[in-house]
Amino acid sequence: MNLSLVDPFVLAQEYPDTLTEKLSSGHATCLSFNHKGDYLASGRVDGTVVIFDIETNGVARKLQGHTRQIQSLSWSRDGRYLLTSSQDWKCILWDLKDGSRIRTVRFEAPVYIAELHPFNHLLFVASLFEDQPVLVDVSSTKPIKRILPSAPLRPQAPKDEEIDPAVAAKQAAQDAKHSTCVTIFTAFGNHIIAGTSKGWINIIETQTCTTIHSMRLCNGVVILLRLASNGRDLLVNSSDRVIRTVLMPDLSQLGIDLEPSAIKLHVEHKFQDVVNRLSWNHVTFSSTGEFVTATTFMNPDIYVWERSHGSLVKILEGPREELGVVEWHPSRPMVVACGLETGCIYTWSIVSPQKWSALAPDFGEVEENVEYMEAEDEFDVHPAEQVHQRRLDQEDEVPDALTFDSVKGDGDADGVEPFNLPVLLNIEDSDSGEDVVAVGPGTMRRRTPGAGREGVNGDADKPATNGASRGATRNRRR
């Protein structure tokens, strides 16, 4: 949309307010935007990964390699590589240029979440179910797994003070019960932030795989960790029904101006519903980090808080179903969330009325119809030869629909070249397999509502109904 047609007060709004779109391609369980925000990856319950083009709302690519539900999605910085983790105990690194699998890593337990290194797509960290987290290097054909600690770093006692063996044994037994539920990289990837099942936050050095700082944040389980775009603000969702924003120090200054003993994690705000005591399914930062968004348990609404005052600014009314994963677009005031019951992807954005008077200085908007005064040569009839020649000149131009023109400013601030997904010309690959069926050589059509339900209900052997028989007869006559 031309920005000159939009009301400037609407452009100043930083959060969405209206449910505008609905995407459907299978039952979605998790979502993730790439860093540019032009593609949205969706993991399905059947193990398929669907990548949507945000501008057209069409399917750009499908990736099939997992056999069970997708747990997490992680994009590389340039948008070419995608890491997927699943309940089938595997992580797959995909090359989106041709949809091939670069590496497939199998673990000894189901994977909670896996995330790529910010600058090295061949390095990722994975949190495992009831097991220690793993740092995986897939630069070679055989993956190298390095186990990360889950136990918190306890303060060391003075040398001249004796430690009670009973107290030490009790503390060791408590530390053995810690399991890591979520792990993420810091902005530069030099450290890993881990959340445990006992409410601790551990900061682990990536190179040495040792814990340099630990902090008890809450009494519940740390469910999710998210970093803001500035890399200094941490968002924590825990099972105690409280969402916390934590201010972190600049960990890139460790060893220069900052010592590990001087690391402090300061809790900025606590967001919660004191009246209804709602639990939060999923949380995320806005593109600028100024807002916090969360989906609620057994509730179709999405809550939006402002961080500057810590107040609730908007409740986005959703469909009549509970929402799961929620994501905010990297650069627009747009929020997407997937429904837990139907698996559809819902989009909230800003509906802006167009200001048509900005088209031309003499363009005027009227409240009602007025009589139009025709100019003298406005509707003159031109010779047929001239009109025909004009059409022939336009036909000489060959449109190129497959080449992407690089726009200045599309590259990353770090000099990373942008990547564009190749255009799919096969409609079976570019659309939902549940909606498109082949009816003949080179002929595709939409599946009729209710088609295929016989197999779902276990009545595949029963004869078709009269309507279905008539439809099949029409297809044969064609």
Side-chain angles (χ1 to χ4, degrees):
M1 180 185 294
N2 193 344
L3 292 181
S4 61
L5 300 179
V6 183
D7 189 353
F9 293 100
V10 175
L11 290 177
Q13 186 173 335
E14 297 178 335
Y15 54 88
D17 54 10
T18 307
L19 179 62
T20 56
E21 297 287 346
K22 176 182 176 181
L23 304 178
S24 178
S25 180
H27 194 292
T29 58
C30 58
L31 306 170
S32 179
F33 283 104
N34 67 337
H35 290 270
K36 284 178 58 180
D38 49 358
Y39 295 107
L40 173 67
S42 166
R44 301 197 321 201
V45 71
D46 61 354
T48 304
V49 178
V50 181
I51 301 178
F52 293 94
D53 188 338
I54 296 301
E55 294 298 329
T56 62
N57 288 340
V59 176
R61 187 173 291 280
K62 285 185 179 181
L63 307 173
Q64 295 180 340
H66 292 286
T67 57
R68 300 190 66 181
Q69 177 177 317
I70 302 296
Q71 287 292 103
S72 67
L73 303 161
S74 178
W75 290 84
S76 63
R77 181 172 290 271
D78 59 355
R80 175 173 175 176
Y81 305 99
L82 180 68
L83 178 70
T84 60
S85 65
S86 172
Q87 290 183 358
D88 59 5
W89 300 20
K90 291 188 299 183
C91 287
I92 299 179
L93 181 63
W94 302 87
D95 186 354
L96 299 182
K97 185 176 182 180
D98 53 4
S100 61
R101 307 180 206 175
I102 300 177
R103 296 286 186 272
T104 300
V105 183
R106 183 174 179 84
F107 298 94
E108 300 300 323
V111 183
Y112 274 135
I113 187 172
E115 181 174 299
L116 283 175
H117 190 276
F119 298 97
N120 182 8
H121 68 275
L122 298 177
L123 186 68
F124 69 90
V125 61
S127 302
L128 307 180
F129 179 73
E130 292 185 352
D131 204 345
Q132 290 181 296
V134 181
L135 180 65
V136 185
D137 185 357
V138 294
S139 55
S140 59
T141 55
K142 185 177 181 180
I144 301 174
K145 302 178 182 178
R146 301 171 64 186
I147 298 177
L148 302 176
S150 293
L153 181 65
R154 302 288 185 176
Q156 296 182 355
K159 296 182 180 179
D160 55 349
E161 183 178 336
E162 294 185 0
I163 302 177
D164 188 357
V167 175
K170 182 179 179 181
Q171 189 178 82
Q174 292 177 352
D175 292 346
K177 296 179 181 179
H178 283 263
S179 61
T180 300
C181 300
V182 56
T183 49
I184 61 172
F185 282 102
T186 55
F188 292 98
N190 297 328
H191 298 86
I192 299 170
I193 307 174
T196 71
S197 58
K198 299 297 182 180
W200 285 75
I201 299 294
N202 297 329
I203 299 179
I204 305 171
E205 194 173 30
T206 305
Q207 187 174 4
T208 61
C209 295
T210 57
T211 304
I212 62 174
H213 180 75
S214 296
M215 172 187 173
R216 180 70 178 270
L217 189 67
C218 60
N219 295 324
V221 179
V222 177
I223 302 174
L224 187 65
L225 298 175
R226 301 297 295 267
L227 269 181
S229 56
N230 59 8
R232 298 286 298 276
D233 301 329
L234 181 67
L235 186 62
V236 183
N237 183 25
S238 57
S239 60
D240 61 355
R241 306 184 182 188
V242 179
I243 302 172
R244 296 171 175 84
T245 52
V246 181
L247 303 180
M248 297 183 57
D250 188 2
L251 297 178
S252 62
Q253 299 298 319
L254 276 175
I256 304 175
D257 298 330
L258 182 65
E259 294 297 329
S261 59
I263 296 178
K264 300 293 183 182
L265 303 182
H266 175 66
V267 178
E268 179 191 31
H269 290 298
K270 293 182 179 180
F271 304 104
Q272 57 184 324
D273 191 325
V274 182
V275 178
N276 299 321
R277 295 289 296 166
L278 294 175
S279 296
W280 312 106
N281 289 339
H282 198 268
V283 297
T284 187
F285 274 120
S286 65
S287 56
T288 59
E290 298 178 1
F291 298 92
V292 172
T293 306
T295 55
T296 58
F297 178 70
M298 299 294 292
N299 195 325
D301 298 332
I302 297 180
Y303 285 64
V304 181
W305 293 276
E306 187 179 13
R307 286 183 56 203
S308 59
H309 302 289
S311 58
L312 181 67
V313 295
K314 186 69 176 179
I315 297 180
L316 301 178
E317 296 182 359
R320 298 303 178 188
E321 64 172 320
E322 182 183 351
L323 301 174
V325 175
V326 60
E327 291 290 335
W328 197 298
H329 192 275
S331 57
R332 304 180 190 174
M334 183 173 74
V335 170
V336 295
C338 58
L340 295 183
E341 181 180 351
T342 63
C344 295
I345 302 171
Y346 302 95
T347 303
W348 288 261
S349 57
I350 299 175
V351 179
S352 53
Q354 296 180 347
K355 192 175 60 173
W356 295 103
S357 59
L359 283 173
D362 56 347
F363 192 98
E365 296 182 359
V366 294
E367 297 294 336
E368 57 183 10
N369 292 336
V370 295
E371 184 178 356
Y372 180 73
M373 302 300 295
E374 178 185 345
E376 183 177 354
D377 57 348
E378 185 173 359
F379 298 104
D380 289 350
V381 179
H382 298 280
E385 296 80 3
Q386 183 179 354
V387 175
H388 181 65
Q389 184 63 34
R390 190 178 303 171
R391 291 177 179 174
L392 291 178
D393 295 340
Q394 293 177 352
E395 291 178 357
D396 292 339
E397 301 178 3
V398 180
D400 185 5
L402 303 179
T403 305
F404 289 94
D405 295 331
S406 58
V407 181
K408 186 177 180 181
D410 276 355
D412 197 287
D414 302 312
V416 179
E417 290 295 328
F419 171 77
N420 293 305
L421 280 177
V423 177
L424 291 181
L425 301 179
N426 190 349
I427 190 173
E428 289 182 312
D429 295 334
S430 62
D431 210 326
S432 173
E434 294 81 10
D435 297 335
V436 177
V437 293
V439 295
T443 305
M444 311 293 291
R445 67 168 175 83
R446 295 282 180 181
R447 186 188 298 271
T448 57
R453 291 183 182 176
E454 293 82 9
V456 176
N457 298 328
D459 300 329
D461 297 332
K462 293 183 179 181
T465 60
N466 294 334
S469 301
R470 288 195 295 268
T473 303
R474 285 196 297 268
N475 288 336
R476 285 196 299 269
R477 289 175 180 174
R478 291 177 188 172

